[in-house]
Amino acid sequence: MLDPDPTSPAPSGAPETEAAPVLIAALLAVREPPVGPDAPCRAVRSRLDAQPALPSLAVTAEDGRVLGLVDRLALAGVADPEAPARAAMNPDPLLVDADLPLCEVARRIMQEKPGALASGFVILEDGRYLGVGSGVDLLARTDEQIIQRTRQLDEALRAAERANRAKTAFFACMSHEIRTPLNAMMGFAELLEQEVLGPIANPLYRDYARDIAESGRYLMDLINDLLDLSKAEAGRLELAESAVDVLRVAVGSVRLLSDRAGRARVGIDTDLPPKLPALRADERKVRQMLLNLLSNAVKFTPPDGVVTLNGRMAADGTLCLSVHDTGIGMTADELEKALEPWGQIDSALGRNHIGTGLGLPLTKRLVELHGGRLDIDTAPDRGTTMTLVFPAERVG
C-alpha cells in the first residue's frame, strides 16, 4: 500500500479524527469552601441540604491542610447538632491530585477506598485543597469519555476499511495494466533466448534475454502475490474448489523447483506415500503454497543442504504436507518478522537472495482460508519445518 505524504493535507471530505482529550480529576472538583474542624454539624448539614448533588464537605485546618471529609451518612449518625464537624469527620479520605486522569481516579477508588464512590473524595492542586469530587460525576465523565473514544474508533475503523478497499482496487487495476506489457516483454525475451527467428551472433545477448524473461517471471509472481495478499486481508479472496490430486500437485511443485535447487546446489527430495486421498481445495492455491514453502526452503539452505517434501495423514484425519530444510533456521523474533508482509530475515544468507517477504504470510492466509493452519518448527542452525495442515472435513 502506498503511504500518503504526511505533509500533504487530508483529502477533501475526509474526516480528521482527533485523539480524545485525557480528562483529569480537576474537572470533577466542586469548588465548595471547606469547613473548619470546630464548625457545628448543624451548619454542615444545612450546607449539604442546600446542595443535593454535593456528597460531602472537606474539613481543613487554618493553614489549608486537609484534615478529613464529612459526608451525609456520617452526619446522620451524630445525635447532637452542635457537635463539632470533627466528630463526624472521616480523617482518612481519598486524596487525588487535580491532574490525575479519570481512569486512574477510578482505579484508586476500586483498589483503595470503594466507599469514596458514595462519600466523595478530596481533590488537591499543588498539595492544597481544590474541591470535592463525587462518584456520580466520575461515572458520568468516564461514560462521556468512553462514548467519545468509541465514536472515534468507529470512524477510524471505517476510514481503514475505505483505505483497504481502495488498496485492493488499486492493486487489481495496476496488476492488469502491468501484466499486459509484461507478458509481451517476457514473450519477446523468450523468442530471443530460443533464437526462433535465427541465430544470435553474440551469445551474451541470449543470456541477457534469459535474464529479462526470468526477471519478468519474478515480477509477475510478485504482482500475483500482492493481489492475492490484498484480497486475503480484505476477506475477498475466493476459492475455486475441486477434488485435488495432492500427490500430482506435490510432485509437480518439486519438479518446478528442481532447476533452481540445482543451481543453488541444494538437494530436493520427496517422502510421499504412493496414495494420498483427494483434497477438496483450490488446486492453484495449493500449488502456490507448496511453491512458496519450497522456494523459501531452497533460498535459505546453504550449498550441499537438502530440502524434503513430506506428506502424511494424521491420526485425527487431517492431511499434512511438510517442507523440511537443513538451512539456517530462525529465532522466535525472526519468525515473527517473517510472518509479517514485507518481513525480511536479517541474516547473512538471507541478504544474498532477492525476495519481498510476501510468500510466507500469503501462504499462512491461504491455508487458513481453507480452514487449516501453518505449523512452523524452527531454530537457528537446526533448519526449519513448515507444515500445511488441512482439516479432516476436506480430505477424502
Side-chain angles (χ1 to χ4, degrees):
M1 177 178 178
L2 300 179
D3 293 328
D5 181 358
T7 63
S8 62
S12 176
E16 295 185 2
T17 303
E18 297 181 357
V22 178
L23 303 185
I24 58 176
L27 297 172
L28 303 176
V30 178
R31 301 173 191 245
E32 180 71 16
V35 299
D38 296 323
C41 288
R42 169 183 46 78
V44 177
R45 183 179 294 110
S46 177
R47 288 180 59 183
L48 288 177
D49 289 343
Q51 300 188 65
L54 193 64
S56 54
L57 287 176
V59 181
T60 62
E62 291 183 358
D63 59 4
R65 290 181 298 109
V66 175
L67 301 177
L69 199 66
V70 178
D71 64 75
R72 298 174 185 273
L73 184 61
L75 282 173
V78 178
D80 183 3
E82 299 301 323
R86 67 164 61 91
M89 178 183 74
N90 172 13
D92 186 28
L94 179 67
L95 305 177
V96 300
D97 292 329
D99 59 355
L100 197 67
L102 295 192
C103 59
E104 185 64 16
V105 175
R107 185 195 66 80
R108 287 194 57 195
I109 289 176
M110 292 299 100
Q111 292 186 357
E112 300 175 23
K113 296 184 181 298
L117 277 175
S119 64
F121 46 91
V122 179
I123 300 172
L124 305 176
E125 186 173 52
D126 297 328
R128 301 185 67 81
Y129 173 76
L130 177 65
V132 175
S134 73
V136 172
D137 284 346
L138 173 62
L139 294 175
R141 288 282 190 173
T142 303
D143 186 57
E144 172 188 327
Q145 190 173 36
I146 291 173
I147 292 173
Q148 184 178 4
R149 288 186 174 178
T150 301
R151 187 182 302 116
Q152 291 172 340
L153 288 173
D154 287 343
E155 178 55 35
L157 177 60
R158 287 193 293 270
E161 290 173 345
R162 289 194 296 270
N164 201 40
R165 288 194 297 270
K167 178 188 70 173
T168 302
F170 169 79
F171 282 143
C173 177
M174 290 305 297
S175 65
H176 173 73
E177 294 298 325
I178 294 174
R179 277 191 182 108
T180 301
L182 188 58
N183 279 323
M185 292 166 56
M186 292 165 57
F188 291 142
E190 290 171 357
L191 287 176
L192 291 173
E193 179 188 355
Q194 298 169 12
E195 299 178 306
V196 173
L197 301 180
I200 298 176
N202 191 329
L204 284 176
Y205 290 152
R206 188 167 54 252
D207 294 337
Y208 294 156
R210 182 185 304 111
D211 291 341
I212 292 172
E214 288 184 356
S215 297
R217 283 190 286 271
Y218 169 75
L219 186 55
M220 185 69 77
D221 290 341
L222 171 59
I223 292 169
N224 291 333
D225 284 351
L226 271 172
L227 187 58
D228 284 347
L229 185 59
S230 177
K231 287 182 177 179
E233 289 180 339
R236 298 174 58 184
L237 191 60
E238 298 179 353
L239 299 178
E241 297 184 0
S242 62
V244 178
D245 184 341
V246 178
L247 184 60
R248 176 180 58 81
V249 173
V251 171
S253 300
V254 170
R255 188 179 299 116
L256 285 173
L257 266 295
S258 58
D259 287 344
R260 184 184 304 180
R263 290 195 298 269
R265 291 169 45 206
V266 172
I268 184 165
D269 296 330
T270 59
D271 183 12
L272 299 165
K275 290 186 179 180
L276 280 174
L279 179 68
R280 182 171 55 83
D282 186 318
E283 181 171 330
R284 187 183 73 82
K285 290 179 174 57
V286 172
R287 182 179 292 105
Q288 185 177 6
M289 288 185 276
L290 289 175
L291 288 174
N292 283 341
L293 296 185
L294 288 167
S295 177
N296 272 354
V298 170
K299 182 190 302 183
F300 293 104
T301 298
D304 301 324
V306 178
V307 172
T308 305
L309 173 60
N310 296 281
R312 62 182 178 84
M313 289 294 299
D316 60 358
T318 57
L319 174 64
C320 302
L321 297 175
S322 302
V323 175
H324 172 74
D325 64 62
T326 57
I328 58 176
M330 292 178 283
T331 65
D333 290 341
E334 288 173 337
L335 176 58
E336 182 179 359
K337 185 175 181 180
L339 287 171
E340 297 175 356
W342 309 104
Q344 293 283 351
I345 300 174
D346 187 19
S347 66
L349 186 59
R351 283 193 295 267
N352 291 330
H353 296 79
I354 61 173
T356 61
L358 293 178
L360 195 56
L362 178 57
T363 298
K364 183 175 183 293
R365 283 168 172 77
L366 290 179
V367 72
E368 289 172 350
L369 189 62
H370 285 82
R373 68 179 189 273
L374 176 64
D375 290 345
I376 302 176
D377 179 19
T378 185
D381 302 321
R382 190 172 60 82
T384 300
T385 301
M386 297 198 176
T387 304
L388 300 171
V389 181
F390 294 95
E393 57 267 23
R394 286 189 171 272
V395 180

